[in-house]
Amino acid sequence: DVKVTQSSRYLVKRTGEKVFLECVQDMDHENMFWYRQDPGLGLRLIYFSYDVKMKEKGDIPEGYSVSREKKERFSLILESASTNQTSMYLCASRTGGPGTGELFFGEGSRLTVL
Amino acid sequence: GQQLNQSPQSMFIQEGEDVSMNCTSSSIFNTWLWYKQEPGEGPVLLIALYKAGELTSNGRLTAQFGITRKDSFLNISASIPSDVGIYFCAGLKGSNYKLTFGKGTLLTVNP
């Protein structure tokens, strides 16, 4: 079975803190994604990476950055957390090129910024 | 970004009833995926569809890839209380890495 593991299920941070969300997948997938999920807004793509060291902005990249130094690991970084970044963050991975493949999600990281 | 039109937004049914939900778009998709998400958890992939007209089952769940490639349907037969959750559709176009998601159907099953 594909496993996508997110390092923290629940985090509470203060405004201005730097936050790291880590994601590891064990199926040698090329593509990895970070989404945030908010009530009424659905899933919104923050960043994705289609290969090691490659990254592309999604629909809402402002206030976030990412790092993909190894194929299995994709990190989401909030340089200076703000209260409007309180959300459920979901990492996902997928194999295959454009237009193909199934997307598998991690269990999610619930971030609260005070 | 674009989102798929998923309906209904919510359903409240009795245990044992059948359920139908669908997603539509003005665009053509190469792949349709259906997910279930329970509270506090990540979405879990239920069914993947790759060909227009394809009908695929997973236990009591059946999904279809619409002939026009602009829609997909999910049916759940003989619902049980553990079917409760949010069901999402997602579509993938031929040239894209990024999926387009529906906003979900919230299913409540009354025992």
Side-chain angles (χ1 to χ4, degrees):
Chain A
D1 282 350
V2 175
K3 190 152 182 69
V4 180
T5 303
Q6 294 184 226
S7 56
S8 304
R9 294 294 307 275
Y10 301 95
L11 302 96
V12 179
K13 299 291 181 180
R14 296 205 175 275
T15 301
E17 280 192 79
K18 191 169 186 175
V19 181
F20 291 88
L21 298 178
E22 305 283 343
C23 175
V24 177
Q25 51 94 3
D26 65 359
M27 285 301 292
D28 203 36
H29 284 173
E30 292 87 1
N31 311 150
M32 297 187 74
F33 303 78
W34 275 105
Y35 293 89
R36 64 177 283 178
Q37 186 178 33
D38 302 287
L41 297 177
L43 285 158
R44 293 182 291 168
L45 181 64
I46 305 170
Y47 268 96
F48 71 101
S49 168
Y50 54 86
D51 206 345
V52 178
K53 296 192 184 293
M54 307 301 288
K55 58 186 179 184
E56 294 282 341
K57 292 180 180 179
D59 301 317
I60 52 163
E62 295 78 18
Y64 303 95
S65 62
V66 290
S67 172
R68 189 150 181 223
E69 295 297 317
K70 294 185 177 182
K71 191 174 186 179
E72 68 270 18
R73 187 179 298 270
F74 192 35
S75 302
L76 180 69
I77 303 149
L78 288 67
E79 292 289 341
S80 178
S82 63
T83 55
N84 63 12
Q85 292 178 309
T86 292
S87 187
M88 172 71 130
Y89 289 87
L90 291 162
C91 176
S93 73
R94 181 170 73 86
T95 192
T100 67
E102 300 161 7
L103 188 70
F104 296 92
F105 286 90
E107 292 181 319
S109 297
R110 171 73 65 183
L111 172 66
T112 302
V113 183
L114 302 175
Chain B
Q2 179 194 2
Q3 292 215 333
L4 299 171
N5 299 312
Q6 185 170 350
S7 65
Q9 286 187 321
S10 62
M11 302 181 74
F12 188 93
I13 62 170
Q14 295 296 123
E15 183 175 0
E17 289 184 12
D18 296 343
V19 172
S20 291
M21 59 191 79
N22 69 84
C23 274
T24 61
S25 173
S26 57
S27 302
I28 288 174
F29 288 92
N30 280 14
T31 299
W32 285 94
L33 306 173
W34 283 94
Y35 293 88
K36 177 188 177 186
Q37 186 175 25
E38 298 185 10
E41 304 290 330
V44 174
L45 181 64
L46 299 172
I47 292 178
L49 301 160
Y50 296 106
K51 290 173 59 177
E54 179 182 357
L55 189 70
T56 298
S57 292
N58 177 5
R60 293 178 294 105
L61 278 63
T62 301
Q64 184 163 23
F65 192 139
I67 291 291
T68 65
R69 296 170 64 194
K70 295 181 179 181
D71 55 11
S72 180
F73 306 88
L74 177 70
N75 296 314
I76 304 173
S77 63
S79 60
I80 59 178
S82 62
D83 289 334
V84 165
I86 301 176
Y87 292 80
F88 290 98
C89 61
L92 189 60
K93 296 181 182 179
S95 60
N96 283 3
Y97 290 96
K98 301 185 292 183
L99 273 72
T100 303
F101 286 90
K103 286 196 172 182
T105 295
L106 173 62
L107 177 64
T108 304
V109 180
N110 192 30

